[in-house]
Amino acid sequence: MLKLIQNEWMKLWHKKGTWAMVAMLVLVILVPGGIMKYYEGKSSDEGSWQEIEQQSIQNNKAMLAEEDISEEDKAFFEERIAISEYRLAHDAPSQKDNSLASFMSFTSNMLTLVTLFTVITAASIVSSEFSTGTIKMLLTRPMSRAKVLTSKLLTTFLFGLFLVAVNVVVSAIVGLVLFGIGSGVELEIVNGQVAEKAVWSDLAYHYLLSGGDFVMSTLFAFLVGSVFRSSSLAIGLTMFLSFTGGMIVMFLSRYDIVKYIWLTHSDLTQYEKDILMVPDMTMSFSLTVLAIYAVIFLVISYTSFMKRDVTA
C-alpha cells in the first residue's frame, strides 16, 4: 500500500496543475497580506485606539436611541458598548486588525480554496487513468483493485492535508513578518460578563469544523469521478452543490427530509456561529448523518471500480 501511495504521490506532483494549485494558494495569501499592510499605513492617522473606542461608544448609544430598534439589535449594541468601556477601563486595545491572529483568522477562509483544489484532485485521480488508458497498466500489477482505489483516495486526502498545512504555515509566516504577534486582546460577552476571547483555540476549532465540508466534498467528487469517469462532471457537480447547498436546504426546509440530506450538515461551522440551517439540530446528529453518507459514497465508489470492465 505504501508503494502504491508513493506512486500516486509522484504522479500527482508530476502534473503542472498540482504545482499551479500550490502556487495559487500561496499567492492568495500573499496578495491580501500586502494589501492589508498597505492600508495599515493609510489608516495610521485615524487617531488612537482610545479615541476610536470612545467614538464607537457614542455611535452605539446613538443607535440605541432609535425608536424602532429590535431586542436583538439592542442587545448587540449594548454588548459593543460594554466591550468598548471595558477596553478603556482596563487599557486593553483590540487585536482585531493588523496582527498575526487576525491575519490567520482571515486566511482560514482560504480553506474553501483548499477544498476546491482537493475536489479537483479527487475528481481526476481516477477518471484521468481511464481517459489516458493507463488504468490497464495499473491493474496488471499483483494488487487488488480495492488497494489501488484506496491508494488513490488516501493520496487525495494527503494532498488536501498538505494544502491545509501550506495555508497555515504560509499564513503564519506572512502574518508574523507583516504584522507581528500583536499586543492587544480580543473580548467577548460570556454569561453577561466581558471576558478575554481564546483566539487560537477558536481558530483551531474553526479549522476542525471546516473539515466536514472538506471531507464530504472530496468523497462526493471521488464518487462521481470513479463512477462516471469524468473529472469535469465531478468538479462541476460538486461545486454546484457546494455553492447552492444553502439554497437547496432553504427550499426543502419545510419538509422533514431536509434533516437527512448531507448538504444540511456538511458545513459544521454553523455550530461555531450558532446559526443552524435547520432548527433543533445537534452536532452528534450531523456527524452521524455525514458518517452514513460517507460510507454510502465509499461503497458506491468501490463497487463501481471493482466491477468495471477496463478491457474496452
Side-chain angles (χ1 to χ4, degrees):
M1 178 60 69
L2 291 177
K3 290 184 178 180
L4 284 173
I5 295 176
Q6 183 181 16
N7 180 58
E8 293 295 333
W9 188 257
M10 292 174 62
K11 288 193 296 184
L12 183 63
W13 287 101
H14 186 68
K15 300 177 181 178
K16 295 180 180 178
T18 302
W19 293 95
M21 287 187 285
V22 176
M24 188 176 299
L25 179 60
V26 173
L27 190 63
V28 297
I29 295 174
L30 288 173
V31 172
I35 295 175
M36 292 169 66
K37 184 64 177 179
Y38 173 78
Y39 281 103
E40 178 186 28
K42 292 288 185 179
S43 60
S44 60
D45 56 349
E46 291 183 354
S48 65
W49 68 268
Q50 291 92 342
E51 294 174 343
I52 295 175
E53 293 295 343
Q54 290 172 352
Q55 184 62 46
S56 176
I57 292 174
Q58 295 177 7
N59 294 338
N60 289 325
K61 286 184 176 179
M63 296 300 297
L64 284 175
E66 297 289 335
E67 296 181 357
D68 298 330
I69 186 172
S70 65
E71 290 298 324
E72 292 182 356
D73 290 339
K74 181 180 179 181
F76 172 79
F77 291 123
E78 287 177 346
E79 288 182 358
R80 295 299 95 193
I81 292 173
I83 289 176
S84 294
E85 290 177 343
Y86 183 94
R87 292 192 184 281
L88 293 173
H90 295 82
D91 193 25
S94 173
Q95 199 185 51
K96 182 177 180 181
D97 299 321
N98 307 324
S99 68
L100 173 62
S102 64
F103 182 71
M104 291 194 67
S105 179
F106 167 77
T107 56
S108 66
N109 297 317
M110 304 305 174
L111 290 176
T112 302
L113 190 61
V114 170
T115 300
L116 172 60
F117 290 158
T118 309
V119 162
I120 293 174
T121 304
S124 60
I125 198 168
V126 175
S127 59
S128 61
E129 298 278 8
F130 284 96
S131 60
T132 58
T134 54
I135 189 65
K136 300 177 184 178
M137 299 173 57
L138 185 61
L139 295 181
T140 56
R141 297 182 178 183
M143 299 286 183
S144 66
R145 290 193 178 192
K147 285 187 176 181
V148 171
L149 192 61
T150 300
S151 67
K152 291 181 176 295
L153 180 61
L154 292 178
T155 301
T156 300
F157 278 111
L158 285 175
F159 178 67
L161 292 176
F162 171 77
L163 292 180
V164 173
V166 169
N167 181 68
V168 173
V169 172
V170 174
S171 298
I173 294 175
V174 173
L176 188 62
V177 171
L178 294 181
F179 307 110
I181 297 178
S183 57
V185 295
E186 280 302 292
L187 302 175
E188 61 181 347
I189 302 295
V190 180
N191 298 325
Q193 300 294 326
V194 179
E196 185 173 342
K197 190 175 182 180
V199 178
W200 294 111
S201 60
D202 287 348
L203 184 61
Y205 187 55
H206 176 75
Y207 270 88
L208 181 63
L209 294 183
S210 298
D213 186 56
F214 169 79
V215 171
M216 297 307 298
S217 296
T218 301
L219 289 178
F220 183 76
F222 190 79
L223 160 67
V224 178
S226 301
V227 174
F228 297 100
R229 293 180 286 182
S230 173
S231 59
S232 57
L233 175 63
I235 297 170
L237 186 57
T238 304
M239 288 299 98
F240 172 78
L241 291 177
S242 297
F243 287 112
T244 62
M247 297 177 59
I248 295 174
V249 172
M250 289 181 59
F251 179 76
L252 297 175
S253 59
R254 68 187 71 177
Y255 307 105
D256 290 337
I257 194 175
V258 72
K259 295 181 180 180
Y260 306 102
I261 300 176
W262 66 275
L263 293 173
T264 307
H265 306 275
S266 59
D267 183 13
L268 294 175
T269 58
Q270 60 185 305
Y271 291 102
E272 176 189 25
K273 304 170 185 175
D274 199 21
I275 304 177
L276 302 181
M277 300 182 72
V278 177
D280 301 326
M281 290 196 313
T282 62
M283 176 72 79
S284 58
F285 179 73
S286 293
L287 292 175
T288 301
V289 172
L290 293 180
I292 293 173
Y293 273 94
V295 172
I296 294 174
F297 292 166
L298 289 173
V299 169
I300 297 175
S301 300
Y302 276 82
T303 302
S304 174
F305 185 77
M306 293 177 69
K307 291 186 177 182
R308 173 164 293 142
D309 181 13
V310 296
T311 58

Short mmCIF file of all heavy atoms in Angstrom, two decimals, residues 81-120:
data_model
loop_
_atom_site.label_atom_id
_atom_site.label_comp_id
_atom_site.label_asym_id
_atom_site.label_seq_id
_atom_site.Cartn_x
_atom_site.Cartn_y
_atom_site.Cartn_z
N ILE A 81 -21.01 48.33 23.50
CA ILE A 81 -20.69 49.41 24.43
C ILE A 81 -19.94 48.87 25.65
O ILE A 81 -18.95 49.45 26.10
CB ILE A 81 -21.99 50.13 24.87
CG1 ILE A 81 -22.60 50.87 23.69
CG2 ILE A 81 -21.70 51.09 26.02
CD1 ILE A 81 -23.96 51.48 23.98
N ALA A 82 -20.40 47.72 26.17
CA ALA A 82 -19.76 47.13 27.35
C ALA A 82 -18.31 46.75 27.04
O ALA A 82 -17.41 46.97 27.88
CB ALA A 82 -20.54 45.90 27.80
N ILE A 83 -18.07 46.21 25.85
CA ILE A 83 -16.71 45.82 25.48
C ILE A 83 -15.82 47.05 25.32
O ILE A 83 -14.66 47.07 25.78
CB ILE A 83 -16.74 44.98 24.19
CG1 ILE A 83 -17.36 43.60 24.46
CG2 ILE A 83 -15.33 44.84 23.61
CD1 ILE A 83 -17.52 42.75 23.22
N SER A 84 -16.33 48.09 24.67
CA SER A 84 -15.54 49.32 24.49
C SER A 84 -15.22 49.96 25.83
O SER A 84 -14.09 50.43 26.06
CB SER A 84 -16.31 50.30 23.60
OG SER A 84 -16.46 49.80 22.28
N GLU A 85 -16.18 49.99 26.74
CA GLU A 85 -15.94 50.58 28.06
C GLU A 85 -14.92 49.74 28.84
O GLU A 85 -14.10 50.29 29.59
CB GLU A 85 -17.26 50.67 28.83
CG GLU A 85 -18.21 51.71 28.26
CD GLU A 85 -19.55 51.75 28.98
OE1 GLU A 85 -19.84 50.75 29.70
OE2 GLU A 85 -20.29 52.74 28.84
N TYR A 86 -14.97 48.43 28.68
CA TYR A 86 -14.00 47.55 29.35
C TYR A 86 -12.59 47.82 28.83
O TYR A 86 -11.62 47.85 29.61
CB TYR A 86 -14.39 46.09 29.10
CG TYR A 86 -13.49 45.09 29.81
CD1 TYR A 86 -13.82 44.59 31.06
CD2 TYR A 86 -12.31 44.64 29.21
CE1 TYR A 86 -13.01 43.67 31.72
CE2 TYR A 86 -11.49 43.72 29.85
CZ TYR A 86 -11.84 43.24 31.10
OH TYR A 86 -11.03 42.34 31.72
N ARG A 87 -12.47 48.01 27.52
CA ARG A 87 -11.15 48.29 26.93
C ARG A 87 -10.57 49.59 27.50
O ARG A 87 -9.38 49.66 27.84
CB ARG A 87 -11.26 48.39 25.41
CG ARG A 87 -11.58 47.08 24.73
CD ARG A 87 -11.39 47.20 23.20
NE ARG A 87 -11.78 45.98 22.52
CZ ARG A 87 -11.04 44.87 22.46
NH1 ARG A 87 -9.88 44.86 23.07
NH2 ARG A 87 -11.48 43.81 21.81
N LEU A 88 -11.39 50.62 27.58
CA LEU A 88 -10.91 51.90 28.09
C LEU A 88 -10.56 51.82 29.58
O LEU A 88 -9.58 52.41 30.02
CB LEU A 88 -11.98 52.97 27.86
CG LEU A 88 -12.26 53.33 26.39
CD1 LEU A 88 -13.46 54.26 26.29
CD2 LEU A 88 -11.03 53.96 25.74
N ALA A 89 -11.35 51.07 30.33
CA ALA A 89 -11.12 50.97 31.77
C ALA A 89 -9.90 50.13 32.11
O ALA A 89 -9.21 50.39 33.11
CB ALA A 89 -12.36 50.40 32.46
N HIS A 90 -9.61 49.12 31.29
CA HIS A 90 -8.51 48.19 31.59
C HIS A 90 -7.32 48.35 30.63
O HIS A 90 -6.42 47.52 30.64
CB HIS A 90 -9.02 46.75 31.54
CG HIS A 90 -10.03 46.42 32.59
ND1 HIS A 90 -11.36 46.74 32.46
CD2 HIS A 90 -9.89 45.82 33.81
CE1 HIS A 90 -12.02 46.33 33.54
NE2 HIS A 90 -11.15 45.78 34.38
N ASP A 91 -7.33 49.42 29.84
CA ASP A 91 -6.23 49.68 28.90
C ASP A 91 -5.95 48.43 28.05
O ASP A 91 -4.82 47.93 27.98
CB ASP A 91 -4.96 50.10 29.65
CG ASP A 91 -3.91 50.67 28.70
OD1 ASP A 91 -4.30 51.17 27.62
OD2 ASP A 91 -2.71 50.59 29.03
N ALA A 92 -7.00 47.93 27.39
CA ALA A 92 -6.92 46.69 26.60
C ALA A 92 -7.31 46.96 25.15
O ALA A 92 -8.47 46.79 24.77
CB ALA A 92 -7.83 45.62 27.20
N PRO A 93 -6.34 47.40 24.34
CA PRO A 93 -6.64 47.66 22.92
C PRO A 93 -7.02 46.39 22.18
O PRO A 93 -6.63 45.29 22.57
CB PRO A 93 -5.34 48.26 22.39
CG PRO A 93 -4.28 47.71 23.29
CD PRO A 93 -4.92 47.61 24.65
N SER A 94 -7.75 46.56 21.10
CA SER A 94 -8.19 45.42 20.30
C SER A 94 -7.06 44.88 19.46
O SER A 94 -6.18 45.61 19.00
CB SER A 94 -9.35 45.83 19.40
OG SER A 94 -9.68 44.79 18.50
N GLN A 95 -7.06 43.57 19.26
CA GLN A 95 -6.10 42.92 18.38
C GLN A 95 -6.79 42.50 17.08
O GLN A 95 -6.27 41.70 16.32
CB GLN A 95 -5.49 41.69 19.06
CG GLN A 95 -4.18 41.21 18.43
CD GLN A 95 -3.69 39.92 19.07
OE1 GLN A 95 -4.42 38.97 19.20
NE2 GLN A 95 -2.43 39.90 19.47
N LYS A 96 -7.97 43.03 16.86
CA LYS A 96 -8.78 42.58 15.73
C LYS A 96 -8.10 42.84 14.40
O LYS A 96 -8.14 42.04 13.48
CB LYS A 96 -10.14 43.27 15.76
CG LYS A 96 -11.07 42.83 14.65
CD LYS A 96 -12.42 43.50 14.79
CE LYS A 96 -13.37 43.05 13.69
NZ LYS A 96 -14.70 43.71 13.79
N ASP A 97 -7.47 44.02 14.26
CA ASP A 97 -6.85 44.40 12.99
C ASP A 97 -5.33 44.39 13.12
O ASP A 97 -4.77 44.74 14.16
CB ASP A 97 -7.31 45.80 12.57
CG ASP A 97 -8.82 45.85 12.36
OD1 ASP A 97 -9.36 44.86 11.82
OD2 ASP A 97 -9.44 46.85 12.76
N ASN A 98 -4.68 43.98 12.02
CA ASN A 98 -3.23 44.09 11.90
C ASN A 98 -2.48 43.33 12.99
O ASN A 98 -1.73 43.92 13.78
CB ASN A 98 -2.81 45.56 11.90
CG ASN A 98 -3.55 46.37 10.87
OD1 ASN A 98 -3.83 45.86 9.77
ND2 ASN A 98 -3.87 47.60 11.18
N SER A 99 -2.70 42.04 13.06
CA SER A 99 -1.96 41.18 13.97
C SER A 99 -1.86 39.80 13.35
O SER A 99 -2.58 39.47 12.41
CB SER A 99 -2.64 41.11 15.34
OG SER A 99 -3.88 40.43 15.24
N LEU A 100 -0.97 38.98 13.91
CA LEU A 100 -0.82 37.62 13.41
C LEU A 100 -2.12 36.83 13.54
O LEU A 100 -2.54 36.14 12.61
CB LEU A 100 0.30 36.92 14.19
CG LEU A 100 0.49 35.43 13.93
CD1 LEU A 100 0.87 35.17 12.49
CD2 LEU A 100 1.54 34.84 14.88
N ALA A 101 -2.77 36.94 14.70
CA ALA A 101 -4.00 36.19 14.94
C ALA A 101 -5.11 36.61 13.99
O ALA A 101 -5.82 35.76 13.43
CB ALA A 101 -4.46 36.37 16.38
N SER A 102 -5.27 37.92 13.79
CA SER A 102 -6.33 38.40 12.91
C SER A 102 -6.07 38.00 11.47
O SER A 102 -6.99 37.66 10.72
CB SER A 102 -6.47 39.91 13.02
OG SER A 102 -5.29 40.56 12.57
N PHE A 103 -4.80 38.01 11.05
CA PHE A 103 -4.48 37.65 9.67
C PHE A 103 -4.72 36.15 9.45
O PHE A 103 -5.26 35.75 8.41
CB PHE A 103 -3.03 38.00 9.34
CG PHE A 103 -2.65 37.70 7.93
CD1 PHE A 103 -3.15 38.46 6.87
CD2 PHE A 103 -1.80 36.65 7.62
CE1 PHE A 103 -2.81 38.19 5.56
CE2 PHE A 103 -1.45 36.38 6.32
CZ PHE A 103 -1.96 37.15 5.28
N MET A 104 -4.34 35.33 10.41
CA MET A 104 -4.57 33.90 10.27
C MET A 104 -6.06 33.56 10.33
O MET A 104 -6.52 32.61 9.70
CB MET A 104 -3.80 33.13 11.35
CG MET A 104 -2.30 33.17 11.18
SD MET A 104 -1.44 31.96 12.20
CE MET A 104 -1.98 30.42 11.46
N SER A 105 -6.80 34.34 11.09
CA SER A 105 -8.24 34.16 11.11
C SER A 105 -8.83 34.50 9.75
O SER A 105 -9.75 33.82 9.26
CB SER A 105 -8.87 35.05 12.19
OG SER A 105 -10.26 34.92 12.20
N PHE A 106 -8.29 35.55 9.12
CA PHE A 106 -8.74 35.93 7.78
C PHE A 106 -8.40 34.85 6.74
O PHE A 106 -9.24 34.47 5.92
CB PHE A 106 -8.10 37.26 7.38
CG PHE A 106 -8.25 37.60 5.93
CD1 PHE A 106 -9.45 38.08 5.44
CD2 PHE A 106 -7.18 37.45 5.04
CE1 PHE A 106 -9.60 38.40 4.09
CE2 PHE A 106 -7.32 37.75 3.70
CZ PHE A 106 -8.53 38.23 3.23
N THR A 107 -7.18 34.34 6.79
CA THR A 107 -6.76 33.35 5.79
C THR A 107 -7.37 31.97 6.03
O THR A 107 -7.28 31.09 5.17
CB THR A 107 -5.22 33.21 5.77
OG1 THR A 107 -4.75 32.89 7.09
CG2 THR A 107 -4.57 34.49 5.30
N SER A 108 -8.02 31.77 7.19
CA SER A 108 -8.73 30.50 7.39
C SER A 108 -9.87 30.36 6.41
O SER A 108 -10.34 29.25 6.14
CB SER A 108 -9.25 30.42 8.83
OG SER A 108 -10.26 31.39 9.07
N ASN A 109 -10.32 31.49 5.84
CA ASN A 109 -11.35 31.45 4.81
C ASN A 109 -10.84 30.81 3.52
O ASN A 109 -11.63 30.42 2.66
CB ASN A 109 -11.87 32.86 4.52
CG ASN A 109 -12.54 33.49 5.73
OD1 ASN A 109 -13.30 32.83 6.43
ND2 ASN A 109 -12.26 34.76 5.98
N MET A 110 -9.51 30.73 3.38
CA MET A 110 -8.93 30.10 2.20
C MET A 110 -9.12 28.59 2.20
O MET A 110 -8.79 27.92 1.22
CB MET A 110 -7.43 30.42 2.12
CG MET A 110 -7.09 31.88 2.13
SD MET A 110 -7.93 32.80 0.81
CE MET A 110 -7.46 34.48 1.24
N LEU A 111 -9.68 28.03 3.27
CA LEU A 111 -9.96 26.61 3.29
C LEU A 111 -10.98 26.24 2.21
O LEU A 111 -11.03 25.09 1.77
CB LEU A 111 -10.49 26.19 4.66
CG LEU A 111 -9.46 26.22 5.80
CD1 LEU A 111 -10.12 25.88 7.12
CD2 LEU A 111 -8.31 25.25 5.51
N THR A 112 -11.78 27.20 1.79
CA THR A 112 -12.70 26.95 0.67
C THR A 112 -11.91 26.66 -0.59
O THR A 112 -12.27 25.76 -1.38
CB THR A 112 -13.60 28.18 0.45
OG1 THR A 112 -14.33 28.47 1.65
CG2 THR A 112 -14.59 27.93 -0.68
N LEU A 113 -10.82 27.39 -0.79
CA LEU A 113 -9.97 27.16 -1.95
C LEU A 113 -9.24 25.83 -1.82
O LEU A 113 -9.06 25.10 -2.81
CB LEU A 113 -8.96 28.31 -2.09
CG LEU A 113 -8.13 28.36 -3.38
CD1 LEU A 113 -9.04 28.52 -4.59
CD2 LEU A 113 -7.12 29.50 -3.32
N VAL A 114 -8.82 25.49 -0.62
CA VAL A 114 -8.19 24.19 -0.37
C VAL A 114 -9.15 23.06 -0.73
O VAL A 114 -8.77 22.07 -1.36
CB VAL A 114 -7.74 24.08 1.11
CG1 VAL A 114 -7.32 22.65 1.42
CG2 VAL A 114 -6.61 25.04 1.40
N THR A 115 -10.41 23.20 -0.32
CA THR A 115 -11.42 22.20 -0.65
C THR A 115 -11.60 22.08 -2.15
O THR A 115 -11.72 20.97 -2.70
CB THR A 115 -12.76 22.56 0.02
OG1 THR A 115 -12.59 22.61 1.43
CG2 THR A 115 -13.83 21.54 -0.34
N LEU A 116 -11.63 23.22 -2.84
CA LEU A 116 -11.78 23.21 -4.30
C LEU A 116 -10.64 22.46 -4.97
O LEU A 116 -10.86 21.61 -5.84
CB LEU A 116 -11.84 24.65 -4.83
CG LEU A 116 -11.80 24.81 -6.35
CD1 LEU A 116 -12.98 24.10 -7.00
CD2 LEU A 116 -11.76 26.28 -6.73
N PHE A 117 -9.40 22.73 -4.55
CA PHE A 117 -8.25 22.06 -5.15
C PHE A 117 -8.25 20.56 -4.84
O PHE A 117 -7.87 19.75 -5.68
CB PHE A 117 -6.95 22.70 -4.64
CG PHE A 117 -6.73 24.09 -5.15
CD1 PHE A 117 -5.90 24.98 -4.47
CD2 PHE A 117 -7.32 24.53 -6.32
CE1 PHE A 117 -5.67 26.27 -4.95
CE2 PHE A 117 -7.12 25.82 -6.81
CZ PHE A 117 -6.29 26.68 -6.11
N THR A 118 -8.68 20.20 -3.64
CA THR A 118 -8.76 18.78 -3.28
C THR A 118 -9.85 18.09 -4.09
O THR A 118 -9.70 16.93 -4.50
CB THR A 118 -9.03 18.62 -1.78
OG1 THR A 118 -8.09 19.40 -1.03
CG2 THR A 118 -8.88 17.16 -1.36
N VAL A 119 -10.95 18.78 -4.31
CA VAL A 119 -12.03 18.23 -5.14
C VAL A 119 -11.54 17.99 -6.57
O VAL A 119 -11.86 16.96 -7.18
CB VAL A 119 -13.24 19.19 -5.13
CG1 VAL A 119 -14.19 18.89 -6.29
CG2 VAL A 119 -13.98 19.10 -3.81
N ILE A 120 -10.78 18.93 -7.11
CA ILE A 120 -10.23 18.76 -8.46
C ILE A 120 -9.35 17.52 -8.52
O ILE A 120 -9.41 16.73 -9.48
CB ILE A 120 -9.43 20.01 -8.86
CG1 ILE A 120 -10.37 21.21 -9.03
CG2 ILE A 120 -8.66 19.77 -10.16
CD1 ILE A 120 -9.66 22.52 -9.28
#
